[in-house]
Amino acid sequence: MVNHIFEKKDNNTRRSILDKKTIETTNAPSAIGPYSQGNIVNNILYTSGQLPINPKTGEMPKDIKEQTKQSLNNIKAILEAANTSLENVFKTTVFLSDMNNFGLMNEMYNEFFKSDYPSRSAVEVSRLPKDALVEIEAIALIK
């Protein structure tokens, strides 16, 4: 975990305006670009979109249910690295390459979030990195 404190000068005084910690774990796939797996800003964790890549093998499952499971397991690993859990997720965004996969994605999603569901957006996109069928990001409270 990398910690950054951003400060601002205001009338000759310095005050902290943003406490940011970068989250990195080997239990989720490494970033495939110039971004972090997650950032904690003022006690809220923002994950990057998680592709369904197995961090141990680098492989991606073929079907939508297994891809959804892997993406959510990657989010779970980032949450754990930040000392939080799925129970503290209050918002997710699901990107689907085909909205016809919504029902199957939803079946697997429901195995991870069983009650007190987070708010969610689900959108179809024209294409995802590595031609994935799904990518999921989450926002969670750090308690």
Side-chain angles (χ1 to χ4, degrees), residues 4 8 17 22 31 37 53 62 65-67 69 72 75 77 81 91 96 99 103 105 111 114 133:
H4 304 278
K8 176 182 173 183
I17 58 168
T22 301
Q37 291 171 324
I53 298 171
K62 300 292 182 208
K65 285 180 84 171
E66 289 302 309
Q67 284 199 14
K69 180 179 181 179
L72 288 168
I75 287 173
K91 173 70 169 93
L96 294 163
M99 195 55 81
M105 174 279 299
E111 290 187 21
K114 298 188 185 295
L133 301 175

Short mmCIF file of all heavy atoms in Angstrom, two decimals, residues 4 8 17 22 31 37 53 62 65-67 69 72 75 77 81 91 96 99 103 105 111 114 133:
data_model
loop_
_atom_site.label_atom_id
_atom_site.label_comp_id
_atom_site.label_asym_id
_atom_site.label_seq_id
_atom_site.Cartn_x
_atom_site.Cartn_y
_atom_site.Cartn_z
N HIS A 4 -0.28 8.58 0.11
CA HIS A 4 0.01 9.94 -0.33
C HIS A 4 -0.91 10.89 0.42
O HIS A 4 -2.10 10.66 0.49
CB HIS A 4 -0.26 10.12 -1.82
CG HIS A 4 0.48 9.18 -2.69
ND1 HIS A 4 1.78 9.39 -3.05
CD2 HIS A 4 0.12 8.01 -3.26
CE1 HIS A 4 2.18 8.39 -3.82
NE2 HIS A 4 1.18 7.54 -3.96
N LYS A 8 -2.68 21.52 0.73
CA LYS A 8 -2.94 22.76 0.03
C LYS A 8 -2.59 23.92 0.94
O LYS A 8 -2.91 23.91 2.12
CB LYS A 8 -4.44 22.82 -0.33
CG LYS A 8 -4.89 24.09 -0.97
CD LYS A 8 -6.38 24.01 -1.22
CE LYS A 8 -6.92 25.32 -1.73
NZ LYS A 8 -8.36 25.28 -1.89
N ILE A 17 -6.16 17.97 2.46
CA ILE A 17 -7.47 17.97 1.80
C ILE A 17 -7.82 16.60 1.22
O ILE A 17 -8.96 16.35 0.92
CB ILE A 17 -7.53 19.03 0.68
CG1 ILE A 17 -6.44 18.80 -0.35
CG2 ILE A 17 -7.47 20.42 1.27
CD1 ILE A 17 -6.62 19.62 -1.61
N THR A 22 -2.84 3.95 -2.30
CA THR A 22 -2.93 3.07 -3.46
C THR A 22 -2.89 1.62 -2.99
O THR A 22 -2.04 1.25 -2.19
CB THR A 22 -1.77 3.35 -4.43
OG1 THR A 22 -1.85 4.72 -4.83
CG2 THR A 22 -1.85 2.47 -5.66
N ALA A 31 -2.35 -4.38 -13.19
CA ALA A 31 -2.92 -3.43 -14.14
C ALA A 31 -2.29 -3.65 -15.51
O ALA A 31 -1.09 -3.91 -15.61
CB ALA A 31 -2.68 -2.01 -13.65
N GLN A 37 -4.85 -0.84 -9.14
CA GLN A 37 -5.94 -1.78 -8.89
C GLN A 37 -7.02 -1.11 -8.05
O GLN A 37 -8.21 -1.37 -8.23
CB GLN A 37 -5.43 -3.02 -8.14
CG GLN A 37 -4.52 -3.89 -8.97
CD GLN A 37 -3.89 -4.97 -8.11
OE1 GLN A 37 -3.56 -4.76 -6.96
NE2 GLN A 37 -3.71 -6.14 -8.69
N ILE A 53 -9.56 -11.93 -15.39
CA ILE A 53 -8.27 -12.59 -15.56
C ILE A 53 -7.87 -13.27 -14.25
O ILE A 53 -7.87 -12.62 -13.20
CB ILE A 53 -7.20 -11.57 -16.00
CG1 ILE A 53 -7.56 -10.97 -17.35
CG2 ILE A 53 -5.81 -12.22 -16.03
CD1 ILE A 53 -6.70 -9.79 -17.76
N LYS A 62 -14.04 -18.76 -20.41
CA LYS A 62 -14.71 -18.52 -21.70
C LYS A 62 -16.15 -18.03 -21.55
O LYS A 62 -16.60 -17.20 -22.33
CB LYS A 62 -14.72 -19.80 -22.55
CG LYS A 62 -13.33 -20.31 -22.88
CD LYS A 62 -12.62 -19.38 -23.81
CE LYS A 62 -11.25 -19.95 -24.17
NZ LYS A 62 -10.29 -18.93 -24.49
N LYS A 65 -20.73 -16.55 -17.00
CA LYS A 65 -20.86 -16.80 -15.56
C LYS A 65 -19.49 -16.93 -14.90
O LYS A 65 -19.24 -16.35 -13.85
CB LYS A 65 -21.73 -18.03 -15.29
CG LYS A 65 -23.22 -17.76 -15.52
CD LYS A 65 -24.06 -18.98 -15.24
CE LYS A 65 -24.37 -19.06 -13.77
NZ LYS A 65 -25.37 -20.11 -13.48
N GLU A 66 -18.60 -17.68 -15.51
CA GLU A 66 -17.26 -17.85 -14.95
C GLU A 66 -16.45 -16.56 -15.03
O GLU A 66 -15.64 -16.26 -14.16
CB GLU A 66 -16.53 -19.01 -15.63
CG GLU A 66 -17.10 -20.37 -15.26
CD GLU A 66 -17.07 -20.63 -13.75
OE1 GLU A 66 -16.01 -20.45 -13.13
OE2 GLU A 66 -18.12 -21.01 -13.20
N GLN A 67 -16.66 -15.78 -16.09
CA GLN A 67 -15.99 -14.49 -16.18
C GLN A 67 -16.48 -13.54 -15.09
O GLN A 67 -15.69 -12.84 -14.46
CB GLN A 67 -16.18 -13.85 -17.57
CG GLN A 67 -15.31 -14.50 -18.63
CD GLN A 67 -15.13 -13.62 -19.85
OE1 GLN A 67 -15.43 -12.43 -19.85
NE2 GLN A 67 -14.61 -14.23 -20.92
N LYS A 69 -17.70 -14.43 -12.20
CA LYS A 69 -17.14 -14.95 -10.95
C LYS A 69 -15.70 -14.50 -10.77
O LYS A 69 -15.31 -14.04 -9.69
CB LYS A 69 -17.24 -16.48 -10.95
CG LYS A 69 -16.68 -17.13 -9.71
CD LYS A 69 -16.83 -18.65 -9.80
CE LYS A 69 -16.31 -19.33 -8.57
NZ LYS A 69 -16.49 -20.80 -8.66
N LEU A 72 -15.44 -10.73 -9.99
CA LEU A 72 -15.84 -10.45 -8.61
C LEU A 72 -14.83 -11.00 -7.61
O LEU A 72 -14.59 -10.38 -6.57
CB LEU A 72 -17.24 -10.99 -8.34
CG LEU A 72 -18.35 -10.18 -9.05
CD1 LEU A 72 -19.68 -10.92 -9.00
CD2 LEU A 72 -18.48 -8.79 -8.45
N ILE A 75 -12.18 -8.38 -7.48
CA ILE A 75 -12.62 -7.26 -6.64
C ILE A 75 -12.51 -7.64 -5.17
O ILE A 75 -12.01 -6.86 -4.35
CB ILE A 75 -14.06 -6.84 -7.00
CG1 ILE A 75 -14.05 -6.11 -8.34
CG2 ILE A 75 -14.69 -5.99 -5.90
CD1 ILE A 75 -15.40 -5.79 -8.90
N ALA A 77 -10.45 -9.67 -3.79
CA ALA A 77 -9.04 -9.66 -3.40
C ALA A 77 -8.55 -8.23 -3.14
O ALA A 77 -7.80 -7.98 -2.19
CB ALA A 77 -8.19 -10.31 -4.49
N ALA A 81 -7.27 -6.66 0.43
CA ALA A 81 -5.99 -5.96 0.55
C ALA A 81 -6.17 -4.60 1.20
O ALA A 81 -5.24 -4.07 1.82
CB ALA A 81 -5.34 -5.81 -0.83
N LYS A 91 -21.56 0.49 -4.24
CA LYS A 91 -21.84 0.82 -5.65
C LYS A 91 -20.96 -0.04 -6.54
O LYS A 91 -19.78 -0.23 -6.26
CB LYS A 91 -21.54 2.31 -5.91
CG LYS A 91 -21.63 2.74 -7.38
CD LYS A 91 -23.05 2.74 -7.89
CE LYS A 91 -23.19 3.42 -9.25
NZ LYS A 91 -23.12 2.54 -10.38
N LEU A 96 -20.79 -4.85 -19.87
CA LEU A 96 -21.03 -6.09 -20.62
C LEU A 96 -20.78 -5.85 -22.11
O LEU A 96 -21.22 -4.82 -22.65
CB LEU A 96 -22.47 -6.57 -20.43
CG LEU A 96 -22.86 -7.01 -19.03
CD1 LEU A 96 -24.37 -7.05 -18.88
CD2 LEU A 96 -22.25 -8.37 -18.74
N MET A 99 -25.49 -7.27 -23.91
CA MET A 99 -26.54 -7.20 -22.89
C MET A 99 -27.36 -8.49 -22.83
O MET A 99 -28.03 -8.75 -21.82
CB MET A 99 -27.45 -6.00 -23.15
CG MET A 99 -28.33 -5.63 -21.97
SD MET A 99 -27.43 -5.33 -20.41
CE MET A 99 -26.86 -3.66 -20.63
N GLY A 103 -28.67 -11.67 -17.81
CA GLY A 103 -29.30 -12.64 -16.90
C GLY A 103 -28.29 -13.61 -16.30
O GLY A 103 -28.31 -13.86 -15.09
N MET A 105 -25.00 -13.15 -16.07
CA MET A 105 -24.12 -12.36 -15.20
C MET A 105 -24.80 -12.14 -13.86
O MET A 105 -24.21 -12.30 -12.79
CB MET A 105 -23.79 -11.01 -15.86
CG MET A 105 -22.99 -10.03 -15.00
SD MET A 105 -23.91 -9.07 -13.75
CE MET A 105 -25.06 -8.14 -14.75
N GLU A 111 -24.62 -14.51 -6.29
CA GLU A 111 -23.90 -15.40 -5.38
C GLU A 111 -22.90 -14.64 -4.51
O GLU A 111 -22.48 -15.12 -3.47
CB GLU A 111 -23.21 -16.52 -6.16
CG GLU A 111 -24.20 -17.50 -6.76
CD GLU A 111 -23.54 -18.70 -7.39
OE1 GLU A 111 -22.38 -19.01 -7.05
OE2 GLU A 111 -24.21 -19.34 -8.24
N LYS A 114 -25.78 -11.09 -1.61
CA LYS A 114 -27.00 -11.84 -1.31
C LYS A 114 -28.11 -10.99 -0.70
O LYS A 114 -29.26 -11.33 -0.78
CB LYS A 114 -26.67 -13.02 -0.39
CG LYS A 114 -25.72 -14.00 -1.06
CD LYS A 114 -25.54 -15.23 -0.25
CE LYS A 114 -24.53 -16.16 -0.82
NZ LYS A 114 -24.82 -16.74 -2.09
N LEU A 133 -15.90 -10.55 -21.79
CA LEU A 133 -17.36 -10.43 -21.87
C LEU A 133 -17.89 -9.49 -20.80
O LEU A 133 -18.99 -8.96 -20.94
CB LEU A 133 -18.02 -11.81 -21.72
CG LEU A 133 -17.61 -12.86 -22.75
CD1 LEU A 133 -18.24 -14.21 -22.40
CD2 LEU A 133 -18.00 -12.42 -24.15
#
